[in-house]
Amino acid sequence: MNEWIAKLSSDPTWMFIGAMALVVLLFIVLVVVVSSMRVKSYKERFVNVQIDNEAKAKEITELQRELQALKIQNAKQSQELQQFAQTREDLLSTQTELETLRKRYHELEKLQSQTDAKLEHTETLYAKLQEEHRTFQERFDTISEENSKLRINNARLLMKLETEERQREQ
């Protein structure tokens, strides 16, 4: 190798070829170094992107879980809202029924008070009529007694008249 180095240093063509080979070799080394640096930076970027993708995938999974939970909660709330609407309709119908029942109650209460007033009036009228009936009954009894006395008396008088007439006729 010493011979070869001595031969190269004495001949300018070989020196030029050696310099060219050295330049080509340096160029190749430079390309390899630059490429390796690029590969290293791309590898680091790839690792960073992969880490970011994993973090984003976890976040997406978590967001999907939250979305699913929110969908379930939304479904529950919409069902509760429907039940609330049904309950509200039931309440409104119950309120209208209550109002009609109250009106009917007040009408019946008014009718009852009128009926009570008529009953009281009828009872007082009945009491008056009973009193009049007793009075008339007593009067009837006294008049009947008097009438029977008068009949008896009339019958006696008739008998007396008949006997007197017979005696006169005889």
Side-chain angles (χ1 to χ4, degrees):
M1 185 135 125
N2 277 342
E3 278 180 24
W4 194 59
I5 293 177
K7 195 177 184 185
L8 278 177
S9 16
S10 62
D11 191 7
T13 339
W14 281 105
M15 201 177 218
F16 179 70
I17 291 174
M20 286 299 274
L22 186 64
V23 168
V24 169
L25 182 67
L26 283 176
F27 181 73
I28 292 173
V29 168
L30 181 66
V31 167
V32 168
V33 168
V34 168
S35 295
S36 71
M37 285 178 63
R38 278 190 171 175
V39 166
K40 184 179 178 184
S41 69
Y42 285 142
K43 184 178 179 181
E44 287 175 359
R45 282 185 191 170
F46 178 74
V47 168
N48 287 339
V49 167
Q50 195 173 15
I51 291 171
D52 286 344
N53 285 344
E54 287 175 5
K56 287 177 183 178
K58 286 180 184 177
E59 189 174 340
I60 287 172
T61 306
E62 204 170 302
L63 288 174
Q64 285 176 341
R65 280 190 213 134
E66 288 179 14
L67 178 65
Q68 190 66 25
L70 287 174
K71 283 182 181 179
I72 292 170
Q73 186 179 10
N74 188 21
K76 286 180 183 177
Q77 287 177 346
S78 65
Q79 186 178 12
E80 287 177 4
L81 185 61
Q82 288 175 349
Q83 289 175 349
F84 176 75
Q86 182 64 35
T87 304
R88 185 175 181 192
E89 289 175 12
D90 291 345
L91 179 63
L92 290 175
S93 67
T94 305
Q95 282 179 335
T96 55
E97 288 177 16
L98 179 65
E99 285 300 316
T100 56
L101 286 175
R102 280 184 181 162
K103 287 178 184 177
R104 182 73 179 142
Y105 172 75
H106 290 301
E107 290 172 3
L108 289 174
E109 198 172 56
K110 190 176 182 180
L111 181 64
Q112 182 187 11
S113 65
Q114 289 173 352
T115 307
D116 286 343
K118 284 181 182 179
L119 178 65
E120 286 178 20
H121 176 69
T122 306
E123 284 176 346
T124 55
L125 187 62
Y126 177 72
K128 284 179 186 178
L129 288 175
Q130 273 187 331
E131 186 62 37
E132 282 182 25
H133 177 71
R134 266 188 247 126
T135 314
F136 287 138
Q137 188 70 35
E138 288 173 4
R139 194 168 167 203
F140 176 76
D141 289 341
T142 56
I143 288 175
S144 289
E145 278 180 30
E146 197 175 306
N147 192 13
S148 70
K149 283 180 189 178
L150 289 174
R151 278 188 183 172
I152 292 172
N153 210 6
N154 281 343
R156 281 185 195 160
L157 285 174
L158 270 173
M159 283 178 69
K160 261 188 190 182
L161 270 173
E162 283 177 4
T163 47
E164 278 183 19
E165 272 184 27
R166 276 188 205 161
Q167 282 179 1
R168 272 193 209 163
E169 283 181 11
Q170 290 184 348

